[in-house]
Amino acid sequence: MIFNLKTELIIKEQLKSNLFKFGVKSKEIADIAKPGQFLEIKVSKGIVPFLKRPISIYNVDKQKEIVEFIFQVKGEGTKTLSETNIGEEIEIMGPLGNGTFEILKDKKVAILGGGIGVFPLYELAKNLKESEVNIYLGFRNKEMVVLENEFKNVSNHLIIATDDGSYGIHGFAIDELKKDLEEKQIDFLYACGPLPMLKAIRELSIEKNIPCQISLEQRMACGLGVCLGCAVKKTKENLEDEFAYSHVCKDGPVFDAREVEI
Ligand SMILES: Cc1cc2nc3c(=O)[nH]c(=O)nc-3n(C[C@H](O)[C@H](O)[C@H](O)COP(=O)(O)OP(=O)(O)OC[C@H]3O[C@@H](n4cnc5c(N)ncnc54)[C@H](O)[C@@H]3O)c2cc1C
């Protein structure tokens, strides 16, 4: 079930100069949202920009019926959205996406996140409370590090790495995961972040033969599988014909890492 709702902005927090956390009241979406799903958000009250913008669900509070998302101001759409004030109306469609994160019990899992890709991983980690959760987050520098305490609260082991060493471990988060994999058994991998990070974890999962789900971002318009704008190529194993594609909005955004060519 997908809802298109007009609701009210009830939480607005500026986490960084260009990063906002918004919360809206929606029993409909809070009741059914699954980790990895996203919303299409109308960013302005007028018709420009016309297209809604896809933003991942960061946190769902089913009891309070609140759905939260975090977004970076990138262009016109997210800038306009950031100017919405508490109490103002906001139009959202969701929950969207049929490919969602698998919630495992009694397993040892590792979650790898990078930059603004970390946001959908919080709801995932929160839902994995019956597994051992190891989290590896990478950011460019100290200024970009977000949600450290939030991730600490939903993990058994948390590593923060920065590319320039200005906070946490100096280097790539995936290298810390690789080191830990030499000593500990991990049953399942999850990742969301920049493409090079996703390519690296895809390779690692194949090399170590560990199942892996990745969440992909593609520019998209409708969010419903109608415009077919967010195509990704399927890997050879699943290629039904020469031009087989999956669509991030409808088949994803979460995919088995072996299923897509990235
Ligand atoms: C499934 C999904 C989930 C997402 N979740 C989040 C989230 O939780 N938080 C968040 O901050 N952003 C998220 N995004 C990205 C977000 O949708 C874009 O940043 C936003 O649409 C940009 O809109 P804009 O009008 O501000 O910028 P535009 O003017 O449309 O674009 C500005 C620049 O941003 C880049 N850009 C735009 N869309 C994307 C995209 N989809 N992927 C990569 N780069 C893009 C392009 O380089 C473009 O030049 C998600 C995208 C998808 C597809």
Side-chain angles (χ1 to χ4, degrees):
M1 184 88 179
I2 297 169
F3 297 95
N4 194 22
L5 308 159
K6 286 184 177 160
T7 177
E8 191 187 320
L9 185 66
I10 56 169
I11 296 169
K12 178 177 183 178
E13 277 174 39
Q14 187 161 6
L15 304 180
K16 304 269 175 197
S17 60
N18 64 349
L19 206 64
F20 290 84
K21 179 167 96 174
F22 275 17
V24 294
K25 187 106 179 158
S26 170
K27 176 173 168 41
E28 297 88 336
I29 296 178
D31 274 352
I32 59 169
K34 295 192 189 126
Q37 286 189 306
F38 66 101
L39 307 168
E40 279 271 24
I41 299 167
K42 185 163 187 328
V43 293
S44 79
K45 288 168 198 70
I47 53 165
V48 182
F50 179 69
L51 293 173
K52 293 190 171 93
R53 298 296 193 264
I55 306 284
S56 307
I57 294 174
Y58 154 68
N59 183 37
V60 176
D61 187 329
K62 287 190 193 292
Q63 277 191 333
K64 293 187 181 156
E65 301 165 355
I66 292 173
V67 180
E68 293 179 319
F69 52 94
I70 299 180
F71 63 95
Q72 189 179 45
V73 174
K74 275 232 163 155
E76 189 198 350
T78 43
K79 169 142 195 341
T80 309
L81 182 64
S82 74
E83 288 157 3
T84 311
N85 292 314
I86 288 195
E88 287 182 353
E89 185 181 272
I90 185 162
E91 193 178 319
I92 54 174
M93 183 166 71
L96 294 168
N98 293 312
T100 57
F101 288 121
E102 217 175 301
I103 302 303
L104 300 168
K105 287 182 183 172
D106 305 321
K107 299 280 181 198
K108 292 186 165 83
V109 304
I111 298 177
L112 177 71
I116 61 165
V118 305
F119 306 139
L121 300 175
Y122 177 73
E123 182 63 15
L124 165 67
K126 216 178 79 185
N127 277 276
L128 285 168
K129 51 185 173 297
E130 290 176 57
S131 283
E132 182 192 299
V133 179
N134 301 276
I135 303 185
Y136 305 81
L137 303 180
F139 299 93
R140 250 183 246 157
N141 52 47
K142 187 178 178 184
E143 170 54 23
M144 310 286 271
V145 176
V146 274
L147 306 174
E148 182 175 5
N149 286 333
E150 286 79 354
F151 277 105
K152 204 176 265 168
N153 290 337
V154 291
S155 61
N156 301 85
H157 174 64
L158 172 68
I159 295 282
I160 304 272
T162 51
D163 298 356
D164 67 356
S166 52
Y167 191 80
I169 287 169
H170 189 178
F172 292 143
I174 192 165
D175 292 332
E176 297 309 307
L177 166 61
K178 283 180 184 167
K179 273 186 219 157
D180 285 353
L181 275 177
E182 279 166 23
E183 285 157 24
K184 81 164 128 178
Q185 183 216 326
I186 291 287
D187 305 306
F188 205 91
L189 302 167
Y190 304 91
C192 185
L195 212 48
M197 177 185 257
L198 297 183
K199 285 184 182 190
I201 197 158
R202 184 176 184 275
E203 269 172 33
L204 183 67
S205 80
I206 292 168
E207 183 198 317
K208 300 275 183 194
N209 200 20
I210 305 174
C212 175
Q213 283 189 308
I214 53 174
S215 180
L216 296 182
E217 265 192 26
Q218 277 277 344
R219 297 215 73 174
M220 63 175 67
C222 72
L224 296 165
V226 178
C227 72
L228 306 181
C230 57
V232 284
K233 222 171 179 174
K234 287 186 182 176
T235 44
K236 290 255 173 353
E237 301 92 88
N238 295 322
L239 211 62
E240 287 131 25
D241 57 56
E242 228 184 307
F243 302 102
Y245 287 92
S246 288
H247 293 92
V248 171
C249 68
K250 164 171 79 69
D251 306 311
V254 178
F255 291 92
D256 178 332
R258 289 167 199 240
E259 201 185 289
V260 283
E261 270 184 26
I262 50 170

